[in-house]
Amino acid sequence: EIPFEVINDLKSFLTNIMPEFNITLEEKKSKIRKLSLKVFTSNKDFVFSKDEKDQLIEFIKDKTSRSIFLFTLNKQRTTGKFARSERLLKDLTHIINTILEIAQPEKDYQSAKNCIILSQTFYIEDKSKNKKIYLFESIKHNEWLNSKEFWEGVIESMIQEEKTKNEIATKELLAIENEEQKQTRISNIAFSQVLPYSNNMLDFQIDKKI
């Protein structure tokens, strides 16, 4: 949690401090975080420039950088401020759709999942119609997100991720569980993922037969 700038300054005087600290990588992370936070500035006089947006999009072509960006955006959800400016929604629309375009051939379901969550969080208020317009409106027709293959892939990916977490957290209990208990545990993990993603599929108006 120590700011990158502090560690960077320390290492210029004490070269042996934190030898595992990768300055190049951490500097890149710092730039991504700063650009990510700039997207969310509430200063009316501020303009998130095209050059800055292009720089951010160049960063998110890399999967690790993409994860850092989405993590920073997710932290914005914890502020509870979901109504945002038209400028922000326009920028996020461009960035989120770019992420989905990059994530599809990589089958990066984690990034796609985060994009869906963010799209269902932030909105602008159309006061003339007294309604909220969510970022979701800009991705709901995305071809990949409307495919059966995507939902099979994301559900399978998240089940495996939760299964791995569960096995690490309950390592001692796994040693004494019988086959029936194992099947029940795995079924519960699967159901915990199938349920919310089935709800997401309804949001995308996926055929209920699927």
Side-chain angles (χ1 to χ4, degrees):
E1 295 300 319
I2 303 172
F4 160 76
E5 291 80 6
V6 174
I7 299 174
N8 197 33
D9 284 345
L10 279 172
K11 285 185 74 65
S12 66
F13 295 101
L14 304 167
T15 54
N16 291 327
I17 194 170
M18 296 182 70
E20 76 287 354
F21 189 81
N22 186 324
I23 290 181
T24 303
L25 176 61
E26 295 301 327
E27 184 177 22
K28 184 179 182 181
K29 287 181 181 179
S30 180
K31 286 180 181 177
I32 295 168
R33 290 190 192 101
K34 286 176 180 176
L35 284 170
S36 303
L37 291 173
K38 271 191 171 185
V39 179
F40 278 88
T41 184
S42 56
N43 186 340
K44 291 181 180 179
D45 298 322
F46 175 83
V47 177
F48 184 58
S49 72
K50 183 181 182 300
D51 285 345
E52 287 173 323
K53 189 194 295 184
D54 290 344
Q55 186 181 3
L56 184 57
I57 287 173
E58 191 61 36
F59 274 132
I60 60 179
K61 289 179 181 178
D62 168 67
K63 191 172 183 178
T64 301
S65 302
R66 191 155 66 239
S67 298
I68 296 165
F69 169 72
L70 289 168
F71 177 76
T72 306
L73 259 61
N74 267 312
K75 287 183 73 173
Q76 286 290 323
R77 295 172 63 235
T78 64
T79 65
K81 187 183 176 185
F82 304 138
R84 298 289 182 159
S85 68
E86 286 189 36
R87 191 276 304 169
L88 171 67
L89 218 68
K90 185 178 179 181
D91 286 337
L92 280 181
T93 294
H94 183 194
I95 295 167
I96 294 296
N97 279 308
T98 302
I99 290 174
L100 290 172
E101 186 180 320
I102 297 166
Q104 181 176 1
E106 296 181 12
K107 297 190 185 301
D108 179 6
Y109 295 113
Q110 189 69 42
S111 290
K113 179 194 79 169
N114 283 319
C115 286
I116 292 171
I117 293 170
L118 289 164
S119 75
Q120 294 171 324
T121 301
F122 300 113
Y123 63 86
I124 56 173
E125 292 179 335
D126 186 339
K127 293 180 180 178
S128 64
K129 297 180 181 178
N130 195 27
K131 65 179 288 190
K132 298 174 181 177
I133 301 174
Y134 281 85
L135 179 59
F136 178 75
E137 294 298 314
S138 69
I139 69 164
K140 68 179 183 181
H141 298 301
N142 180 279
E143 186 176 349
W144 187 37
L145 300 187
N146 279 277
S147 69
K148 178 183 176 183
E149 291 72 23
F150 170 77
W151 294 103
E152 287 179 339
V154 73
I155 291 171
E156 175 65 21
S157 175
M158 296 308 142
I159 287 173
Q160 291 303 326
E161 184 179 305
E162 287 303 310
K163 185 170 174 284
T164 300
K165 288 180 184 176
N166 176 266
E167 288 172 353
I168 292 171
T170 60
K171 192 174 181 180
E172 293 179 4
L173 293 174
L174 296 185
I176 58 173
E177 74 175 357
N178 58 38
E179 189 60 30
E180 184 179 352
Q181 290 170 327
K182 178 182 178 181
Q183 290 303 319
T184 299
R185 175 174 58 82
I186 294 174
S187 292
N188 288 338
I189 291 169
F191 183 73
S192 73
Q193 297 303 308
V194 170
L195 185 61
Y197 284 107
S198 295
N199 193 51
N200 281 150
M201 290 171 77
L202 292 176
D203 291 335
F204 280 90
Q205 298 183 333
I206 304 296
D207 191 320
K208 288 184 181 180
K209 291 177 183 177
I210 293 176

